[in-house]
Amino acid sequence: MSTRETAPRPLRKDAERNRRRVLEAAREVFAEHGLAASLDDIARHAGVGVGTVYRRFPDKEQLIDALFEERVGEMVELARASQAVEDPWAGLEQFLTAAQELQATDRGLKEVLLGDVHERARVTAARDRIAPLVQQLLDRAQEAGAVRRDVSFTDLPLSQFAIGGLADYTRDIAPDAWRRMLVLVLDGLRATGTDATPMPAAPVDQEDLERVMQAAGHADRRRRG
């Protein structure tokens, strides 16, 4: 069979326009309401019939995969840009602050980054690209003596869980409250000239972190029925 016969047929201009409209609407709806939003919600926001959404994306998981592969890719580029910062502490701080800002304004992105995405192959592959970059940021800051030696990589996503949850609950009451908590977390990561308070427990290992993410994903699915 020739390449011409097997190549996917390009979408008509109106079909491509509707696809982009659906993706933009999904980005806005998921950012506001999280992944609990339905395809009906997205169709209504896009101003198209729900059948149009289903023709482009037969189920919501495919829509999430298509949309958030790009969004998680933005996080990868953010981590790379932070690695280019000369000062190791400033690079880590830049990444953690910018990542938290993105998650505070986009509930869907937060759920994708910190939830169970094992059924979304493209998103999972994109997310797996972030971890080694962030580990390198942390290693560099610790080697420079800027971050406590007893801080583990898994402490970083767990702190994002905590701050992200606060951002969700205070969004309509005190939308910048999470920024105060982020400052406290960043100060807690810093190595100081005095003895730090010993950690009261061992760090969560990678396997347990995955279990936490799966539990968060299950909770999200129960919430959205």
Side-chain angles (χ1 to χ4, degrees), residues 154-177:
T154 57
D155 291 321
L156 303 183
L158 289 180
S159 69
Q160 290 183 322
F161 267 115
I163 298 172
L166 174 67
D168 282 346
Y169 285 118
T170 61
R171 187 182 304 271
D172 299 324
I173 302 169
D176 287 332

Side-chain angles (χ1 to χ4, degrees), residues 75 78 89-105 114 155-167 170 174-190:
M75 296 286 290
L78 174 61
W89 168 257
L92 179 63
E93 181 182 34
Q94 173 178 292
F95 173 78
L96 294 177
T97 300
Q100 203 71 60
E101 286 176 341
L102 287 175
Q103 294 174 54
T105 57
L114 300 177
D155 291 321
L156 303 183
L158 289 180
S159 69
Q160 290 183 322
F161 267 115
I163 298 172
L166 174 67
T170 61
D176 287 332
W178 67 269
R179 295 182 183 277
R180 291 178 58 86
M181 295 303 105
L182 177 60
V183 168
L184 294 175
V185 168
L186 290 173
D187 281 353
L189 293 175
R190 281 181 180 273

